[in-house]
Amino acid sequence: MPGAKGYTRAQWDEFVHALEALPEKPRHEQRVTVSDAMKEIRAHITATQAKGYTLEEIVQEAGRKGLDVSIGAVKYALYRPEPSDAASRTANSQATRGTDPLSRPKQAAKRRNARAENAHDVARQQRGRGVGQPGSMEIQDTFSFEIRPDIENL
């Protein structure tokens, strides 16, 4: 079997310098994915919808301009929140609730403790039924489902 390819640091450094030396491509030559373009033109699409056009008509117009875009891609882009919007909404909701970001680890620790106590209660109940005791032939731990041996087809 062939081993992993290895290159010298000099080769990687030379490659990095070559990348840094490349000039910036003109904007009209840069390739843009459909999802990236949709993020940029989201406001224009919603403004066009406000003018009374449907998504189907917007997609047809894109096709006339040489863009192969599906209605699903447009819907996905429109109804998916932008990362900056999501971050500002989260910041606003924290400010309105008055929660302290430092209290989150405490809340998470409380949830973990509650889950652990729940798991111990379940284990205690199962021990009372004989599950998990020596000779019971039923195996179950706190976080899984019951496993029974198939003894019907012996």
Side-chain angles (χ1 to χ4, degrees), residues 4 7 39 42 62 80 90 108 110 121 132 141 152:
Y7 302 99
K39 290 174 194 171
R42 180 180 301 169
R80 197 173 104 202
T90 307
K110 285 181 184 177
D121 290 341
D141 68 3
E152 294 174 7

Side-chain angles (χ1 to χ4, degrees), residues 6-58:
Y7 302 99
T8 65
R9 291 216 181 267
Q11 288 174 305
W12 286 112
D13 290 341
E14 189 177 322
F15 175 60
V16 168
H17 292 301
L19 290 176
E20 290 172 350
L22 290 173
E24 188 171 335
K25 264 188 173 181
R27 184 167 170 81
H28 66 277
E29 290 181 10
Q30 294 176 4
R31 306 283 299 174
V32 181
T33 64
V34 172
S35 62
D36 289 341
M38 289 296 159
K39 290 174 194 171
E40 292 177 14
I41 65 170
R42 180 180 301 169
H44 299 286
I45 292 174
T46 53
T48 306
Q49 281 183 304
K51 292 179 185 178
Y53 290 93
T54 65
L55 289 179
E56 291 85 10
E57 293 169 327
I58 293 170

